[in-house]
C-alpha cells in the first residue's frame, strides 16, 4: 500500500494522478467530505479531466444528509484495497483525513455501531455547543481530539457512547494490516499562499452557487454546510459577509485546519516528506526502494507481456532488472495448466502447426477436437473446417454437430483426475469429484482404447498415475527456465 498524505491544498491530487499513471493503478480517495455527492467545489474534488485520466474510487458515496461514519467508510475501502492487491497493483491511497488514513494504513478499528438516527435527532436539537460540552464530561479524551464546531464527529462520539455504553476513546483498538505500507507526505513551504489562492478559486468556480443549491435541497441546518467554505458561503448568501470577507475567512479557517493536519501527520504517521519541486521523482524512488527492501523479490511478467510483439525484449529487460535488484524472474501463467502443457509438448514441434494453422490448413485429412468448440473458442474462417474429410469431437456436451462426423462422449473436468503444474514447477494432482456418468469415460481412457485399436505405441496405461509418471519428469523445476539470450530493445513497437 502506498499512502500519499498531507494537509489540504498541498498538491496531493495532482501528484496522486501522476503516481497512478506511472504505477498503473486506481486512486482510492481518503477524504471525509469528498465521500458526499453534490459537494464538489467546496471539497476540492478531483476535476473531471483528472478522473477521466485515472479512475478514482471512494468519491460520491452518499448524499449530504446521510452521514457516513468511519466504520462504514472502512467497510467500503478495504475490499477495494484487496482488489488492487489481487491484481498485483499497489493500493494508492490519497487524502488528508487523518483518522480515515490511520484506520486503513495502521489498522485502527472503529466501533462497529450502525448510525442511530433517533439519537442524532436528539443531539441535533440539543445544539452543537451543548453536545460538545456533554462529550467533554463523558469522554474527555475523545472531546480533546474533536474540534468544538465539528458536529458530525461530536455526534458520532456521543452515538457510540450511548449506543454501546463505552466511550469512543476506549474502543479504538488496532490490528496491524497484513500488507506493507509506504507513507509519502506533501507539505510545501508556501502552503498558506496555496490555500489563499485555492480559496479564491473556489468562489470563482461556483462555491456560492453550490452552497445555495445544497441549502435548497437539504435545508440550512445541514451539518456539512457548517464546514469550511460552505459556512462562509452561507454567510455571504445571508448578507452577513461580503465576498472578499467570505474568501478571507475561508482561507483563515482552512489555514487553521491545515496546521492541525500538520501536527496530526507529524505525530501519528511515519511519512517520507517530499520536496515540492521533485515530488514525483522522489516518490517513485521511495516506492522502488520500498520494493527492494523485501526479503523475497520477483519480477513477474503477465499475459500481455507474453503475447507482446516484443516479448523477448521484455523478458530480457525483466532479467536486467532482476540482476540489479537481486530478484527472480517469473511469469503469471495464461491458464491454469500452461506450464504443464509446455512440459508435455502441447505445442508445435518439428515444423508442426499451431491451432490456428490447423483449423485453416488445406491439407489435413482428419481433425480431433477435445473439449473444443471452434466457432466459439477460436477465430476460424467461415469455412475453416470444410476441407477436413473427417472431424471427431470428444466432449461432455452435445456440440459441434454441424461439423463433426463422430461425437465421442467423455467425462467433464469434475469427473476426471489429473495434474496441474504451477508456475514454480510444483505438480498439484486432483481426483474427480464424482464418478463419470453412465458409460462416459475420461478422455485419456478413450484415447487408450483408440490407440490400442490402431496398434499405436505409447497408449498402454492402466491408471492416471502411469500417465503422469510418463508425462512429467521427476524434477519438474529443473526443466523450467525463463533464461533468454535476447537483448533489451527499447524502441517503440
Amino acid at each position: 500500500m502506498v499512502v500519499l498524505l498531507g494537509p489540504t491544498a498541498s498538491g496531493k491530487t495532482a501528484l496522486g494522478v501522476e503516481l497512478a499513471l506511472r504505477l498503473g493503478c486506481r486512486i482510492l480517495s481518503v477524504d471525509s467530505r469528498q465521500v458526499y455527492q453534490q459537494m464538489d467545489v467546496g471539497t476540492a474534488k478531483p476535476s473531471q479531466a483528472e478522473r477521466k485520466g485515472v479512475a478514482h474510487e471512494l468519491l460520491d458515496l452518499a448524499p449530504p444528509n446521510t452521514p457516513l461514519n468511519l466504520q462504514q467508510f472502512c467497510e467500503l475501502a478495504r475490499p477495494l484495497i484487496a482488489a488492487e492487491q489481487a491484481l498485483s497493483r499497489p493500493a494508492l491511497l490519497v487524502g488528508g483525513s487523518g483518522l480515515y488514513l490511520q484506520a486503513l494504513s495502521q489498522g485502527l478499528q472503529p466501533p462497529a455501531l450502525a448510525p442511530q438516527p433517533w439519537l442524532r435527532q436528539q443531539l441535533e436539537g440539543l445544539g452543537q455547543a451543548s453536545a460538545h460540552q456533554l462529550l467533554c464530561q463523558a469522554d474527555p479524551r475523545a472531546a480533546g481530539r474533536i474540534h468544538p464546531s465539528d458536529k458530525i464527529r461530536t455526534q458520532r462520539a456521543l452515538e457510540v457512547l450511548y449506543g454501546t455504553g463505552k466511550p469512543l476513546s476506549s474502543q479504538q483498538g488496532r490490528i496491524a494490516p497484513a500488507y506493507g505500507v509506504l507513507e509519502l507526505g506533501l507539505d510545501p513551504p508556501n502552503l498558506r499562499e496555496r490555500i489563499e489562492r485555492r480559496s479564491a478559486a473556489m468562489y470563482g468556480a461556483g462555491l456560492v452557487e453550490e452552497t445555495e443549491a445544497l441549502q435548497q435541497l437539504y435545508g440550512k441546518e445541514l451539518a456539512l454546510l457548517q464546514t469550511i467554505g460552505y459556512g462562509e458561503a452561507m454567510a455571504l448568501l445571508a448578507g452577513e459577509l461580503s465576498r472578499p470577507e467570505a474568501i478571507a475567512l475561508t482561507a483563515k479557517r482552512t489555514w487553521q485546519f491545515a496546521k492541525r493536519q500538520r501536527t496530526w501527520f507529524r505525530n501519528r504517521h511515519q511519512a517520507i516528506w517530499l520536496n515540492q519541486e521533485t515530488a514525483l521523482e522522489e516518490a517513485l524512488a521511495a516506492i522502488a526502494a520500498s520494493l527492494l527492501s523485501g526479503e523475497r523479490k520477483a519480477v513477474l511478467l503477465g499475459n500481455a507481456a507474453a503475447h507482446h510483439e516484443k516479448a523477448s525484449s521484455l523478458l530480457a529487460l525483466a532479467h536486467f532488472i532482476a540482476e540489479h535488484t537481486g530478484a527472480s524472474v517469473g511469469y503469471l501463467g495464461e491458464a491454469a495448466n500452461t506450464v504443464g502443457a509446455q512440459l508435455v509438448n502441447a505445442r508445435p514441434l518439428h515444423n508442426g502447426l499451431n491451432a490456428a494453422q490447423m483449423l485453416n490448413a488445406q491439407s489435413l485429412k482428419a481433425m480431433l477436437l477435445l473439449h473444443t468448440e471452434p466457432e466459439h473458442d477460436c477465430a476460424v474462417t467461415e469455412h475453416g473446417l470444410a476441407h477436413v474429410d473427417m472431424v471427431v469431437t470428444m466432449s461432455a456436451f452435445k456440440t459441434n454437430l454441424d461439423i463433426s462426423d463422430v461425437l465421442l462422449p467423455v467425462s467433464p473436468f469434475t469427473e476426471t483426475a489429473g495434474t496441474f503444474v504451477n508456475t514454480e514447477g510444483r505438480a498439484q494432482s486432483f481426483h474427480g469429484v464424482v464418478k463419470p456418468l453412465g458409460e462416459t469415460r475420461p478422455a485419456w481412457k478413450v484415447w487408450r482404447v483408440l490407440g490400442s485399436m490402431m496398434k499405436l505405441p505409447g497408449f498402454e496405461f492402466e491408471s492416471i498415475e502411469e500417465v503422469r509418471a510418463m508425462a512429467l519428469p521427476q524434477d519438474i523445476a529443473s526443466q523450467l527456465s525463463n533464461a533468454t539470450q535476447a537483448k533489451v530493445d527499447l524502441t517503440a513497437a
Side-chain angles (χ1 to χ4, degrees), residues 214-233:
L214 289 169
Q215 281 184 345
Q216 293 173 355
L217 285 169
Y218 303 105
K220 296 181 179 180
E221 299 305 313
L222 181 69
L224 287 164
L225 285 178
Q226 315 306 317
T227 60
I228 296 174
Y230 294 106
E232 294 76 58

Side-chain angles (χ1 to χ4, degrees), residues 263-461:
T263 301
W264 175 283
F265 291 133
R266 298 283 180 180
N267 293 338
R268 299 173 184 265
H269 292 265
Q270 303 295 319
I272 298 173
W273 295 97
L274 307 172
N275 185 292
Q276 182 182 2
E277 303 299 325
T278 56
L280 178 60
E281 292 77 10
E282 291 181 15
L284 293 172
I287 293 170
S290 177
L291 292 172
L292 289 175
S293 65
E295 293 183 5
R296 301 179 64 186
K297 300 179 283 290
V299 180
L300 299 177
L301 300 173
N303 196 31
H307 289 273
H308 196 276
E309 61 182 289
K310 292 202 171 184
S312 297
S313 185
L314 291 174
L315 179 58
L317 181 59
H319 277 284
F320 176 83
I321 295 172
E323 181 183 348
H324 289 79
T325 59
S328 57
V329 176
Y331 274 97
L332 298 175
E334 178 178 7
N337 209 12
T338 302
V339 176
Q342 187 82 0
L343 285 170
V344 298
N345 291 323
R347 62 187 190 276
L349 294 176
H350 310 301
N351 299 317
L353 305 179
N354 61 33
Q357 291 168 335
M358 283 190 285
L359 290 169
N360 290 291
Q362 300 297 317
S363 59
L364 297 181
K365 297 300 182 182
M367 180 79 69
L368 176 63
L369 302 175
L370 174 62
H371 295 306
T372 301
E373 299 178 52
E375 181 181 357
H376 303 295
D377 297 335
C378 313
V380 192
T381 59
E382 184 177 355
H383 302 289
L385 297 175
H387 60 279
V388 180
D389 293 338
M390 182 175 185
V391 177
V392 178
T393 292
M394 298 174 66
S395 175
F397 307 99
K398 188 182 291 185
T399 186
N400 295 343
L401 297 181
D402 56 333
I403 60 173
S404 299
D405 296 288
V406 178
L407 179 61
L408 295 177
V410 295
S411 56
F413 176 81
T414 52
E415 300 171 6
T416 305
T419 299
F420 286 123
V421 180
N422 65 19
T423 51
E424 65 176 351
R426 182 179 302 172
Q428 299 169 307
S429 297
F430 57 90
H431 297 284
V433 178
V434 294
K435 293 182 179 180
L437 181 65
E439 305 218 1
T440 60
R441 293 292 183 267
W444 73 270
K445 289 189 176 182
V446 177
W447 279 341
R448 179 186 64 183
V449 173
L450 290 175
S452 298
M453 291 175 62
M454 300 174 68
K455 303 186 185 307
L456 296 175
F459 286 85
E460 306 84 4
F461 301 108

